[in-house]
Amino acid sequence: MASTSLRQQLSIMRQSLFDEGILDHEQVSYLETLENEDDPDFIENVFTLFLRDSSRYIDSIEKALETSPIDYPVMEIMMYRLKGSSASIGASKINGETNILRKLFHDGDMESGKASLQKLKAEHATFKEKLAVYVGMLKQAKLSEY
């Protein structure tokens, strides 16, 4: 009975992540098809790795901006990695903000770029918080199956 309630909560939360545009339904559904008996924790592992790596990328972008002169090659590499990894897991808002950030820096609009980085960091914090809860619920649901 508790596992049914947990599954319902998980389903509602998953749909909420899609409805809010935080995650892309199509990409997450694809990732879920990759989970199987040999790798039953695939989706949790992918999300956990993204949370770890994306935090590093954002920190590196911020540090590169603080150097004098600005370390554009490092910024470009980290923005490229963040763009790719966010697209691969379906982190829609993070991907969109990263694309805006890249364009602003490519256009040389440093002030808008710095503001965009702050917006990206806020979006990432929200994403991280919600995804951590979702991943925790996924793990809990799997444990209740046993």
Side-chain angles (χ1 to χ4, degrees):
M1 178 119 158
S3 66
T4 302
S5 176
L6 181 60
R7 285 189 212 301
Q8 289 171 338
Q9 290 174 6
L10 189 57
S11 178
I12 290 167
M13 181 167 202
R14 181 179 184 270
Q15 188 60 49
S16 171
L17 293 171
F18 298 146
D19 292 346
E20 293 175 43
I22 293 171
L23 286 175
D24 177 71
H25 186 272
E26 190 174 312
Q27 186 62 25
V28 172
S29 295
Y30 169 72
L31 290 173
E32 289 170 343
T33 67
L34 300 176
E35 195 163 85
N36 58 41
E37 291 175 3
D38 294 331
D39 196 357
D41 300 326
F42 178 78
I43 196 87
E44 295 102 286
N45 292 338
V46 168
F47 284 151
T48 300
L49 287 172
F50 174 78
L51 291 174
R52 183 199 67 197
D53 292 346
S54 60
S55 294
R56 289 180 187 167
Y57 300 152
I58 292 170
D59 288 345
S60 294
I61 293 166
E62 196 163 39
K63 285 179 183 152
L65 263 177
E66 294 170 356
T67 62
S68 183
I70 293 172
D71 195 342
Y72 288 106
V74 167
M75 279 179 44
E76 181 58 34
I77 290 167
M78 294 301 121
M79 288 186 293
Y80 182 77
R81 288 180 180 173
L82 184 58
K83 178 184 179 295
S85 62
S86 61
S88 71
I89 70 150
S92 306
K93 286 187 176 182
I94 298 214
N95 188 264
E97 289 301 326
T98 303
N99 286 328
I100 291 168
L101 182 67
R102 289 183 75 217
K103 180 174 181 351
L104 290 169
F105 284 138
H106 281 260
D107 292 348
D109 188 349
M110 297 307 292
E111 289 309 308
S112 296
K114 288 177 182 180
S116 179
L117 178 59
Q118 294 310 309
K119 189 173 179 186
L120 172 63
K121 286 174 62 178
E123 194 60 57
H124 185 263
T126 299
F127 180 86
K128 194 173 183 177
E129 181 182 310
K130 291 185 178 193
L131 198 64
V133 172
Y134 181 68
V135 168
M137 288 176 71
L138 277 173
K139 289 179 180 181
Q140 197 176 1
K142 286 184 179 179
L143 287 174
S144 70
E145 290 176 359
Y146 298 110

